[in-house]
Amino acid sequence: MERLSIGTNVFVYPNPVTLLGTMVEGRVNFMPLGWLSRVNADPPWIGVGVYRGHHTARGIRENGTFSVNFPSADLVEAVDYCGLVSGSGTDKSGVFECFFGELKTAPLISACPLCLECRLVRTEELPTNDWFVGEIVASWADEACLTEGRPDVRKMNPLLLTMPDNRYWTVGAEAGKAWGAGAGRVKSEKDRA
Amino acid sequence: MERLSIGTNVFVYPNPVTLLGTMVEGRVNFMPLGWLSRVNADPPWIGVGVYRGHHTARGIRENGTFSVNFPSADLVEAVDYCGLVSGSGTDKSGVFECFFGELKTAPLISACPLCLECRLVRTEELPTNDWFVGEIVASWADEACLTEGRPDVRKMNPLLLTMPDNRYWTVGAEAGKAWGAGAGRVKSEKDRA
């Protein structure tokens, strides 16, 4: 296999796509967010990476809250629109119908199959970005997207993002059971031992 | 739409799947990792979330380095195996053929279409997990997985993971252009203004 060095500004393949919800100066705002991850198991903490200049970062600092909303692929045009215009110059509060749960400053998107409400617990100021860590204090799922009470990715039909080619993708076929697909090899090793 | 509260231990839909490479006490080790994200744009920093008790966390602390390897879906059995056995009790150094780049303690997997070498820049000790932030100091791609010099997710065929249903997935169809799909709405608004 021919291996090429492709530099250092390399991204995750692929990123999930979410809409990060905030209130900024009392107005609902959303931005598409692909830089996020669960960071702690117990309590359930999630981190979100936001360029420090973004309007959204201001809202999180103002209120100490944010929401993480998982859009389905049929919302791709509205999701992308939210990334093309800044809340500093454009009122995005009407793009999605919203509701509120436990936190009064974490707007949740009615059309999204899964929405998380987060309370800020840590802020890491990195050179160009803020890494905000929030505790998930509640989550709201569209009943039609659940299977046995759990979010079902086939029903949610979420979006993925690759950079720097800047393309959205959907989730494809199931590829195996996690903590399961490799069990045969564990058994073989035990049998040999 | 009927909305149900599904608690607070909710995950990202979906997580990317990588193999986190380390040297622990001089031995190559890999664990599957779905909790990761780019966290800073410039310099290029990536964060990885590891349960503190994991053998891998020890290796990162020991050497201040780690690798992030993106396996293609045909490696699912070997990837999953690495999550079923701990490097503390099982030598996983022979599971994959490895090579080294700039860092001598960040093992890279020959069979993976994309491998990143990272030097630890920050460690955040969270309640149950460590959040290690590394600077990407080099990356290595299989030439066959590039299109115009960039990683092509269709050629890489990476894995995704959903929790707590614990299933792997592949990437499906393209769903639109990022920073593009919503451009029509921006134009309509400008035309109206």
Side-chain angles (χ1 to χ4, degrees):
Chain A
M1 181 192 297
E2 192 68 30
R3 291 237 151 234
L4 294 181
S5 165
I6 58 163
T8 59
N9 192 26
V10 180
F11 301 92
V12 170
Y13 287 87
N15 299 280
V17 173
T18 63
L19 286 158
L20 184 55
T22 48
M23 298 284 285
V24 192
E25 293 179 335
R27 192 162 78 186
V28 166
N29 191 63
F30 293 104
M31 67 166 274
L33 172 78
W35 290 14
L36 78 160
S37 175
R38 276 290 299 268
V39 296
N40 196 69
D42 184 19
W45 288 0
I46 192 166
V48 297
V50 180
Y51 181 68
R52 186 163 301 117
H54 277 339
H55 202 56
T56 291
R58 202 164 137 193
I60 296 175
R61 289 177 183 278
E62 250 178 50
N63 301 299
T65 59
F66 58 88
S67 67
V68 176
N69 305 271
F70 292 85
S72 52
D74 58 356
L75 295 176
V76 66
E77 186 266 342
V79 169
D80 194 66
Y81 167 79
C82 288
L84 289 170
V85 294
S86 169
S88 63
T90 303
D91 180 356
K92 291 188 266 186
S93 63
V95 176
F96 300 105
E97 186 192 298
C98 292
F99 67 103
F100 287 86
E102 294 192 14
L103 306 173
K104 298 310 161 197
T105 51
L108 306 166
I109 299 177
S110 303
C112 284
L114 179 63
C115 308
L116 315 183
E117 299 183 57
C118 303
R119 183 180 288 119
L120 186 67
V121 291
R122 281 186 176 223
T123 301
E124 299 299 327
E125 299 192 357
L126 306 182
T128 56
N129 291 60
D130 288 326
W131 182 252
F132 297 112
V133 173
E135 178 159 342
I136 303 168
V137 299
S139 69
W140 304 93
D142 174 359
E143 192 172 8
C145 291
L146 300 178
T147 296
E148 295 173 0
R150 296 167 170 176
D152 186 326
V153 78
R154 288 173 303 191
K155 297 176 179 173
M156 290 174 66
N157 193 23
L159 286 165
L160 313 169
L161 168 70
T162 52
M163 298 169 66
D165 55 318
N166 300 343
R167 289 186 285 181
Y168 296 114
W169 305 87
T170 57
V171 176
E174 191 171 340
K177 187 89 190 90
W179 294 280
R185 193 185 291 214
V186 179
K187 188 176 179 304
S188 309
E189 283 186 351
K190 281 196 181 136
D191 290 347
R192 273 203 305 276
Chain B
M1 180 192 296
E2 192 68 31
R3 292 237 151 232
L4 293 182
S5 165
I6 58 163
T8 59
N9 192 26
V10 180
F11 301 91
V12 170
Y13 287 88
N15 299 279
V17 172
T18 63
L19 286 158
L20 183 56
T22 49
M23 299 283 285
V24 192
E25 294 179 335
R27 192 163 78 186
V28 166
N29 192 62
F30 293 103
M31 67 166 272
L33 173 78
W35 289 14
L36 78 159
S37 175
R38 276 291 297 269
V39 295
N40 196 69
D42 184 20
W45 287 1
I46 192 166
V48 297
V50 180
Y51 182 67
R52 184 162 303 118
H54 277 340
H55 203 55
T56 290
R58 201 164 138 192
I60 296 175
R61 289 176 184 278
E62 249 178 52
N63 301 298
T65 58
F66 59 88
S67 67
V68 176
N69 305 271
F70 292 86
S72 51
D74 59 355
L75 296 176
V76 65
E77 186 266 342
V79 169
D80 194 66
Y81 167 79
C82 288
L84 289 171
V85 294
S86 168
S88 63
T90 303
D91 180 356
K92 291 188 265 185
S93 63
V95 177
F96 300 105
E97 186 193 298
C98 293
F99 67 104
F100 287 86
E102 295 192 13
L103 306 174
K104 298 310 161 199
T105 50
L108 306 166
I109 299 177
S110 302
C112 284
L114 180 63
C115 307
L116 315 183
E117 298 183 58
C118 304
R119 185 180 286 119
L120 186 67
V121 291
R122 282 185 176 223
T123 302
E124 299 298 328
E125 298 191 358
L126 305 182
T128 56
N129 291 61
D130 288 326
W131 181 252
F132 296 112
V133 174
E135 178 159 342
I136 303 168
V137 299
S139 69
W140 303 94
D142 174 0
E143 192 171 8
C145 291
L146 300 178
T147 296
E148 295 173 359
R150 295 167 170 176
D152 186 327
V153 77
R154 287 174 304 191
K155 297 175 178 173
M156 290 174 66
N157 192 23
L159 285 166
L160 313 169
L161 168 70
T162 52
M163 298 168 68
D165 54 319
N166 300 343
R167 288 186 286 180
Y168 296 114
W169 306 87
T170 57
V171 175
E174 191 171 341
K177 186 92 189 89
W179 295 280
R185 193 185 293 214
V186 178
K187 188 176 178 306
S188 309
E189 283 185 352
K190 280 196 181 137
D191 290 348
R192 272 202 307 274

